[in-house]
Amino acid sequence: MAERRGATVELREVTKRYGDTVAVDHLSLTAPAGRITVLIGPSGCGKTTSLRMVNRLIEPTSGEILIDGHNVLQEDPTQLRRRIGYVIQQVGLFPHRTIGQNVATVPQLLGWPDARIRARVDELLSLIGFDPARMRDRYPAQLSGGERQRVGVARAMAAEPPLMLMDEPFGAVDPIVRERLQNEFLQLQRTQGITVVFVTHDIDEAIKLGDRVAIMRTGKLVQFAPPAELLAHPADDFVARFVGSDRGLKRLSLLTVGGAELDPPIDPSRLDGAPVLSPAMSLRDALAEMLASETQTGMVRDGDRYLGVLTLSHIGRLLRSEQPK
Amino acid sequence: MTPGEPLIRWDWLLSHAGEIGQRVGEHLELTLIAVAVGFLIAFLLSLAALRVPRLYGPISWTTGILYTIPSLALFALLIPYTGLSLLTAEIGLVSYTLLILIRNIVAGVRGVPAEVREAARGMGYTDRQILWRVELPLALAVIFAGIRIATITTIGLVTVTALIGQGGMGYFILLGIQLFFSTALIVGALGSVILAVLADGSLVLVQRALTPWTHTP
């Protein structure tokens, strides 16, 4: 929808040392504009340190960090942070300010006129599915964990930053809420066109949200690729183990029924008990439904149109063809 | 007490209503000055201790010593220098507020959740803005708890300052002791307690007005 207004973030040979320990070791990567770049790895791999160096909550020992070509190390850290959205796992809403005031934080710091702040707050509250009139004047303590997390995202987006840094933002909510927040966030990110650098330790989250995923280990970048590529061609055993032995199934969640080859339609009466699948459905969900049915096949329909029949062998063939190695 | 005299002579109360009112005024004034000056000093020392954490030990130790000196002894020590004056009384009273106020200000600020501070910094608050807009507001409840204790303690202590001629409800206690007159004694003691209860209640109301987020449904 919106023109891409996200910034490009480039890390060049960034290193962070604490005494003799190297937390981040010559990390170079580019987070493309308007995309979600996920940093993932086991604890202590340096992903959070890397993220916090971008808004200079941590100062790199050496290397350069560029946002749209400008070296952040030459900017005033406070001014820099006001232009970058920041969301953390524990959210850190201000308990003494209302939801509206929380969202207004950065616009206020930037000295926006009151009317513009009010309009922006209401716009954002609506964007995250809140009724502004009902929620604006509540305090964070009156919200559920999921609602607080939404407000945290809205607060980070308030001043229309070209870049958001998110550190395990959905890590502290239960799985059902997490999935909903992820979906909402994806939608929001796509419409707003913001560049996002996102830290997580959850590989499923990385695959779901990431346009590109950077796998890190002991401060080093091991592989940096789109999720499908990561699942199809893990760079080494570490990555293969990290993405999990079920990576074939995970790849299916990135593919849709519409992308698979189908058998031509047959008489529906011969498909008694077969699940009806839509082209937009993920192959992983389709597979689950097919396995549970008697026929082990699925009838693919796009609304009223009967497109064909999906069989297990089609799914297997697709997986193999996407994996030339 | 003279035999046969009632515990409280109501006619005395009525005829001395004006003086009682005046002593209540003195008592409140002595308390207000002590808590206000004490808070100002405690606040500055707390800011210093928050900025330079290793100052907190010595500050806490010194104010702790001040707190343990018996009030009568402290006044006796000061009289050669400052005489039987308001200043003598206030030096003593202020000293006793410091420990509790500093402890509560520092504890209140340190008790602010780390993630709130982290979020504030990450959004571009300067250190000063974090202190004034985040840490101190969030510490208000704990700071007020300190102000309440300091106020109640001071109201009790002010009765002692009558000994160095500063009036207040202590004046009636002294009068009662000197004349074996129970009415004055009761007016002094009970008056001081009532003042403490009322002051505490008003402070609770002020705190609730200042921290609406702590008591929303």
Side-chain angles (χ1 to χ4, degrees):
Chain A
M1 176 185 135
E3 267 308 291
R4 219 158 264 150
R5 54 182 186 78
T8 305
V9 185
E10 192 183 351
L11 277 68
R12 285 187 190 159
E13 297 285 311
V14 173
T15 296
K16 178 66 190 180
R17 262 189 220 97
Y18 294 101
D20 288 339
T21 345
V22 183
V24 177
D25 194 359
H26 294 90
L27 177 67
S28 295
L29 65 83
T30 300
R35 301 286 180 190
I36 301 177
T37 298
V38 175
L39 308 180
I40 190 171
S43 10
C45 71
K47 54 190 191 291
T48 292
T49 307
S50 305
L51 185 82
R52 287 160 56 91
M53 284 193 286
V54 176
N55 64 356
R56 293 186 61 186
L57 287 171
I58 296 177
E59 295 287 341
T61 309
S62 65
E64 282 186 333
I65 298 170
L66 308 174
I67 297 180
D68 277 341
H70 298 289
N71 190 345
V72 301
L73 296 172
Q74 284 160 7
E75 290 190 55
D76 174 63
T78 309
Q79 296 299 328
L80 172 77
R81 290 177 200 138
R82 291 176 187 177
R83 289 191 289 107
I84 301 176
Y86 186 53
V87 186
I88 53 178
Q89 183 179 347
Q90 312 87 333
V91 196
L93 292 184
F94 298 139
H96 60 304
R97 301 225 187 119
T98 62
I99 301 312
Q101 290 167 336
N102 264 284
V103 174
T105 302
V106 182
Q108 239 150 28
L109 284 173
L110 294 173
W112 286 18
D114 285 350
R116 185 176 170 206
I117 294 180
R118 264 197 305 277
R120 179 64 177 158
V121 166
D122 284 1
E123 180 191 356
L124 279 161
L125 290 180
S126 309
L127 265 180
I128 58 170
F130 283 6
D131 173 7
R134 226 167 54 85
M135 301 300 277
R136 198 193 294 122
D137 297 322
R138 296 201 185 179
Y139 286 102
Q142 297 168 284
L143 268 53
S144 71
E147 287 172 332
R148 261 177 262 173
Q149 200 51 265
R150 283 195 189 93
V151 175
V153 172
R155 181 173 71 170
M157 285 185 165
E160 300 172 346
L163 167 65
M164 293 231 300
L165 306 177
M166 307 180 83
D167 192 354
E168 304 209 27
F170 310 129
V173 288
D174 68 67
I176 295 169
V177 176
R178 184 182 312 147
E179 171 144 13
R180 214 171 53 217
L181 289 179
Q182 287 168 342
N183 293 338
E184 286 174 10
F185 170 69
L186 260 182
Q187 185 107 42
L188 209 56
Q189 188 273 336
R190 293 295 183 237
T191 53
Q192 307 280 308
I194 303 178
T195 307
V196 176
V197 182
F198 190 109
V199 162
T200 181
H201 64 261
D202 173 358
I203 186 69
D204 292 311
E205 184 169 65
I207 290 166
K208 178 170 184 177
L209 299 182
D211 292 302
R212 309 197 78 186
V213 178
I215 298 201
M216 294 180 67
R217 182 193 196 185
T218 59
K220 289 195 182 72
L221 184 62
V222 185
Q223 188 169 7
F224 187 39
E229 165 83 11
L230 210 62
L231 292 168
H233 313 296
D236 59 14
D237 283 352
F238 170 76
V239 176
R241 262 181 291 125
F242 197 83
V243 298
S245 49
D246 61 340
R247 62 174 196 269
L249 275 177
K250 285 183 174 130
R251 282 177 60 214
L252 286 184
S253 66
L254 294 173
L255 303 169
T256 59
V257 171
E261 205 183 309
L262 302 175
D263 279 347
I266 55 171
D267 184 357
S269 66
R270 290 173 52 205
L271 285 171
D272 211 21
V276 177
L277 313 170
S278 80
M281 201 172 183
S282 86
L283 274 178
R284 186 174 180 155
D285 293 345
L287 180 66
E289 291 207 15
M290 286 158 63
L291 288 175
S293 77
E294 281 170 38
T295 57
Q296 310 268 296
T297 56
M299 187 173 16
V300 181
R301 310 192 69 122
D302 188 4
D304 291 341
R305 279 175 51 228
Y306 178 13
L307 299 176
V309 177
L310 182 67
T311 65
L312 293 180
S313 63
H314 287 134
I315 296 178
R317 207 174 308 144
L318 188 68
L319 267 184
R320 285 190 298 279
S321 73
E322 296 262 320
Q323 193 164 6
K325 247 186 208 170
Chain B
M1 204 195 307
T2 327
E5 189 170 293
L7 200 59
I8 296 179
R9 273 179 47 196
W10 297 100
D11 59 318
W12 187 89
L13 271 184
L14 285 174
S15 61
H16 289 75
E19 192 184 357
I20 294 173
Q22 180 205 330
R23 298 299 179 193
V24 166
E26 288 168 1
H27 204 102
L28 288 177
E29 194 182 335
L30 284 160
T31 305
L32 191 70
I33 295 175
V35 175
V37 173
F39 184 80
L40 196 71
I41 297 173
F43 188 70
L44 295 174
L45 288 174
S46 301
L47 289 191
L50 287 166
R51 184 158 298 186
V52 189
R54 69 196 154 75
L55 286 180
Y56 185 59
I59 289 174
S60 176
W61 188 81
T62 312
T63 53
I65 295 278
L66 282 176
Y67 192 71
T68 58
I69 301 176
S71 51
L72 270 177
L74 185 62
F75 291 140
L77 282 173
L78 286 169
I79 286 168
Y81 306 98
T82 50
L84 291 173
S85 65
L86 177 70
L87 183 61
T88 305
E90 290 296 352
I91 290 177
L93 295 174
V94 166
S95 316
Y96 292 115
T97 65
L98 295 180
L99 180 68
I100 189 77
L101 289 174
I102 291 174
R103 281 207 178 158
N104 279 50
I105 296 171
V106 171
V109 169
R110 287 192 181 158
V112 171
E115 69 267 19
V116 173
R117 208 174 274 127
E118 159 90 1
R121 223 157 86 78
M123 285 187 294
Y125 273 57
T126 61
D127 287 346
R128 181 183 292 251
Q129 286 169 331
I130 291 177
L131 177 70
W132 287 95
R133 299 192 196 179
V134 179
E135 293 177 328
L136 287 174
L138 285 175
L140 265 184
V142 180
I143 293 175
F144 254 87
I147 294 178
R148 282 170 60 192
I149 299 173
T151 305
I152 296 170
T153 316
T154 306
I155 288 177
L157 271 173
V158 165
T159 57
V160 181
T161 63
L163 283 171
I164 55 171
Q166 294 310 309
M169 300 315 280
Y171 170 83
F172 294 117
I173 297 177
L174 278 183
L175 194 71
I177 293 172
Q178 282 159 3
L179 302 180
F180 294 103
F181 179 35
S182 61
T183 304
L185 203 61
I186 291 172
V187 165
L190 207 60
S192 167
V193 170
I194 292 171
L195 279 185
V197 171
L198 291 179
D200 193 48
S202 334
L203 283 171
V204 170
L205 292 180
V206 174
Q207 186 208 319
R208 286 175 66 89
L210 287 178
T211 57
W213 62 90
T214 56
H215 49 84
T216 39

